[in-house]
Structures are given as C-alpha cells and as structure tokens.
Amino acid sequence: MIKDKNIVLGVTGGIAAYKAVEIASRLRKVGAKVHVVMTKAATSFVTELTFREITGNPVTTTMWGEVANWNVEHIALAKLADLVLIAPATANVIAKAANGIADDMLTTMLLATKAPVYFAPAMNTNMLENPVTQENIRKLESLGWHQIEPDSGYLACGVSGAGRLPEPSAIVERIEDHFIDSDSMKGLKVLVTAAGTYEPIDPVRYIGNRSSGKMGYAVAEAARNRGAEVVLVSGPSALKPPAGVRIIKLESACDMRDAVLAEYPDTDIVIKAAAVADYRVRNVAENKIKKKDEELVLVLDKNPDILKELGQLKKPNQVLVGFAAETRNLMEYAQEKLQKKNLDMIVANDVSKPGAGFNTDTNLVKIITRDSDVKELPMMDKKRIAEVIVDMAKEKLQEKCRG
Ligand code: CTP
C-alpha cells in the first residue's frame, strides 16, 4: 500500500511542470509522503512554495541551499525514497540520467538512489522521437527504470503528437500500483490469453480480427503485480509483454489451443481475453494465391472452442474467466456463454460503444459471476479493469478453496 511511503518527486523544467502540482497533491491524498526535488529550470515554471504548501515538506532545488537534513542531503533523499518519480521528465534530464551525469540535486540523487525510479517523459514530439532520446529512454528501461509513456495530443508548442504528460490521476494510479500487495497471489499460476488469432489463407494472407491485445496484456500485468506466476499466451500483437511474465507467442487458434491445454493442468486461474477466430481456412494454399478469377471461395472449418474445452476439463479448484465481446444482446449472450462454457466469471463488453472494445485504451464492461452477480464498471482504463478482473478471480478461487 502506498500509505506512508516516501515518494521523491523530481520535477524538471517543462511546461507540464504545473501538472506535477496535482501529482503531488494526489499522492498526498492517497497517503504518501511527498518530497519534491526541482531542477533550476522547473522553478521557472512553478514555485518552490507551491510544492512546499501542497506536500507539507521542504522542497529541494539546489545542492547548496539551506540544509533540511544533516545527513548529506542528496544521499538522505536517495535513501529515504521508497520510490522516485520524475514527472515531467525532460529530454535533458533523461539524457543526463542515462549517462550518469550528476550536475544538480535531482540527477545526483538519481545516481545515489537504489529505489525504483519511474519517469514520465514530456516534451515536443520531435524531441521525443529523436533517436538519441529514444535510445536514452531504452537505456534507462533496460536498467530497470519504469517509463510512464507519454500521451498523444495537443502540445504546448502548438502541434499535435506524442509527448504529452499523462493525466496526473493516471500517473498516480501507476505509482499506487507499484505498492499494491505484491504477495497477494504468490504461489498461484495464472494463464492469460490475449490478442486475436491469425488464420492463414496462403503464405502471405490471413483472416484476423481487430484485437490489439491491450486488455489481455493488462490482465497479465495485474496478475504479475500481485506476485502470481503468469503465462501469457498471445496472438500477434504490437505490444511489449510485461516484464516477468512467460510469453508464448503464436498465430492460429489451433496453436493457441495446444499451448493453453499444455499449461492448463497446474494452472489456478485462466483469463481468456483472446479474440479467437471461430473459423480457419480449410485448404491453406502452399503458395501465394494469384488473382485470376472474378471470385475466390474459401471454405472455412470451425475452430475448436478452447474455452469450452477448458470448462469441460475444469477441476474444482480452478477458476475460469471468459470474455464476451458483443455488439447486441450483451447480457443475454454473455450469460449463455458463462453457462455453456462452464465459466466462473465472464467479462461482457459491448464493442459497439465508443471507447470500448478493440484497440482502445479504455473499455466498458460488466462482470457476471456464476451466481448471477453483475458488477457494472464505468468506462475505465483497461489497466484498471484488469485489476478488478484479477482481484475478483482471486476471490473466486479463495471461495472455491474454502469449499
Ligand atoms: N473462445 C475460445 N475459443 C474459440 C472462441 C472463443 O476460447 N474458438 C473464448 C474467447 O477467448 C472468449 C470467449 O471464448 O473468452 C468468448 O468468445 P466470443 O468470440 O465472444 O464468443 P464465441 O464463443 O466465439 O461465440 P460467438 O462467436 O457466437 O459470439
């Protein structure tokens, strides 16, 4: 839990520095102790006084100021920190940190701390996309720093593009996530399927669907954050798998079935977020099909229903969670799938609603349990929804284990 944790908030000199005030305020509201370190440039955007009032703690801006702590200040802060958050992180501070330059209070403290570091890059799109900046970001990530990826949108420099600091609420939620009970699912194996499947037509073409994998990847991350052993079975997706999960990448529904069945026997919770193609092409062409006729007929065979099979094989202490993506009769179809596939829970989402379903960052879902309880969530970020799903699945498992 984040309560009483010491968060060192590094504020650097970008226009988004004003948003750091709200970040500090929100962190304090959720019970964290916030210690702000500002770069000189940041003080041109927001005053030290603002942060002092908001956090109730002294604000550090220089190596040579009045001493608030008789231990060497940068070392004291570096040691005190349970987590360091740099928001906004300019290209300059990212470059310095990636190269071990320590020429002010913030960068010196960064070099001295062993605490986990989160950084939220915010800058002009060209600066962000510059290969030098990208390399620096990658270097920090490879060293274990956590990037809070910038949003796209209207930037202060008058253009639209990537580089906006995410909303303070989203940043604070990410930090809260870091402190969730990271042991609550220790010892449990969670199997997650994600993204759509590709069913080949010939060596260069396939039948697929619009699933990006965002929901399933978020579920895998939420289970990982709670200490579970996570296996992520994924169809093609552009997403980076969360660190620490075992990824099995494949393409077709039949391959997904084989992978899932092999992992199933010792799995405690299965969450099947994948959009599995219901049909596959009967005679996959060995060579690229050339266009010659006016009409091309593909014969499709029904794919195995993986989830249904899992439902049939389910042992008393296994929890099975399915998804139902519908464009009409949401509740009716979802209830039907819950029964037919012998599930413990189904996440029903109306993919016809704007902001819900495929390829969006948000989703609008109702979670239905076997005892017909319905939990209706508001439009939420997929990461938050993933947490609710994982927590509910864990509770279901506990109920089952209690008998
Ligand atoms: N599913 C599966 N194997 C399939 C099809 C679906 O495991 N061949 C799983 C999905 O991962 C999802 C759930 O079943 O968790 C429901 O998928 P959905 O496509 O909504 O439903 P279908 O069962 O395919 O039914 P329909 O296409 O008629 O809506």
Side-chain angles (χ1 to χ4, degrees):
M1 290 299 139
I2 197 167
K3 194 167 170 334
D4 293 331
K5 291 287 187 298
N6 286 297
I7 312 282
V8 173
L9 174 61
V11 183
T12 69
I15 183 67
Y18 76 93
K19 289 194 192 170
V21 176
E22 193 184 337
I23 295 172
S25 160
R26 282 178 178 265
L27 283 171
R28 199 167 175 204
K29 273 193 199 127
V30 293
K33 296 175 182 161
V34 185
H35 311 269
V36 174
V37 181
M38 301 174 78
T39 61
K40 189 158 179 290
T43 60
S44 303
F45 291 94
V46 195
T47 68
E48 186 186 333
L49 181 66
T50 311
F51 284 112
R52 203 167 66 208
E53 293 300 314
I54 293 276
T55 63
N57 281 323
V59 172
T60 318
T61 54
T62 156
M63 299 280 286
W64 323 113
E66 190 99 341
V67 175
N69 183 326
W70 282 105
N71 290 317
V72 186
E73 188 103 12
H74 60 276
I75 302 295
L77 277 173
K79 264 197 186 157
L80 177 76
D82 292 300
L83 182 146
V84 177
L85 165 65
I86 314 167
T90 55
N92 186 46
V93 85
I94 290 170
K96 285 203 246 176
N99 290 285
I101 296 172
D103 63 353
D104 63 6
M105 187 64 183
L106 178 62
T107 46
T108 309
M109 189 276 304
L110 286 170
L111 209 52
T113 193
K114 291 206 156 148
V117 182
Y118 283 70
F119 67 111
M123 64 197 74
N124 158 274
T125 309
N126 290 347
M127 290 172 79
L128 180 70
E129 288 174 353
N130 189 306
V132 175
T133 306
Q134 285 302 312
E135 198 180 313
N136 288 332
I137 290 175
R138 272 199 303 277
K139 183 166 174 193
L140 291 174
E141 284 187 310
S142 72
L143 295 171
W145 284 32
H146 308 269
Q147 184 194 182
I148 301 177
E149 289 194 7
D151 283 348
S152 287
Y154 184 75
L155 302 174
C157 50
V159 296
S160 270
R164 259 171 75 95
L165 189 74
E167 286 309 311
S169 57
I171 293 180
V172 171
E173 278 171 10
R174 253 314 265 292
I175 302 306
E176 280 188 278
D177 277 358
H178 181 90
F179 293 105
I180 51 173
D181 184 358
S182 56
D183 276 353
S184 65
M185 291 181 83
K186 223 182 183 92
L188 297 181
K189 178 174 168 185
V190 178
L191 175 62
V192 183
T193 70
T197 58
Y198 282 8
E199 305 302 325
I201 298 171
D202 69 12
V204 296
R205 304 181 179 96
Y206 60 85
I207 298 175
N209 60 63
R210 295 176 194 281
S211 174
S212 62
K214 281 184 184 160
M215 193 67 243
Y217 279 53
V219 167
E221 192 173 331
R224 188 242 8 226
N225 288 347
R226 286 155 177 75
E229 172 197 346
V230 182
V231 181
L232 175 60
V233 177
S234 174
S237 167
L239 301 174
K240 200 166 105 192
V245 312
R246 178 151 61 87
I247 176 101
I248 301 176
K249 285 205 153 204
L250 37 76
E251 297 211 334
S252 69
C254 289
D255 287 349
M256 185 172 275
R257 172 183 175 272
D258 293 347
V260 166
L261 287 183
E263 294 291 338
Y264 192 42
D266 63 342
T267 293
D268 299 287
I269 296 173
V270 180
I271 303 180
K272 263 205 114 281
V276 185
D278 288 327
Y279 294 89
R280 66 180 178 279
V281 177
R282 179 172 294 172
N283 295 312
V284 178
E286 213 174 296
N287 292 303
K288 186 182 168 198
I289 300 172
K290 304 302 285 179
K291 59 170 180 305
K292 18 180 218 280
D293 306 324
E294 279 310 304
E295 203 178 65
L296 172 71
V297 177
L298 294 174
V299 179
L300 304 181
D301 286 320
K302 205 167 183 184
N303 267 332
D305 188 324
I306 309 169
L307 192 53
K308 197 167 162 200
E309 248 179 279
L310 297 182
Q312 284 157 356
L313 297 169
K314 190 166 72 170
K315 290 181 285 202
N317 286 353
Q318 283 181 313
V319 165
L320 211 48
V321 182
F323 275 71
E326 308 291 352
T327 53
R328 64 195 168 106
N329 301 342
L330 179 68
M331 293 303 279
E332 188 189 324
Y333 287 146
Q335 293 272 16
E336 213 175 276
K337 285 175 192 173
L338 179 86
Q339 297 303 332
K340 202 170 72 189
K341 303 193 188 198
N342 191 22
L343 309 179
D344 298 282
M345 266 164 60
I346 191 154
V347 183
N349 78 304
D350 184 341
V351 289
S352 67
K353 293 261 160 61
F358 298 128
N359 243 319
T360 55
D361 286 327
T362 51
N363 210 353
L364 185 63
V365 305
K366 294 185 171 102
I367 306 175
I368 311 165
T369 61
R370 214 171 166 75
D371 30 28
S372 292
D373 254 8
V374 179
K375 192 179 180 97
E376 196 169 337
L377 300 178
M379 181 77 77
M380 271 162 80
D381 191 279
K382 284 182 175 168
K383 293 201 176 206
R384 302 274 83 71
I385 295 178
E387 284 166 3
V388 177
I389 296 169
V390 167
D391 285 336
M392 284 181 73
K394 184 189 72 190
E395 276 164 35
K396 281 276 150 240
L397 183 72
Q398 283 165 343
E399 274 170 29
K400 283 189 160 190
C401 292
R402 278 198 298 267

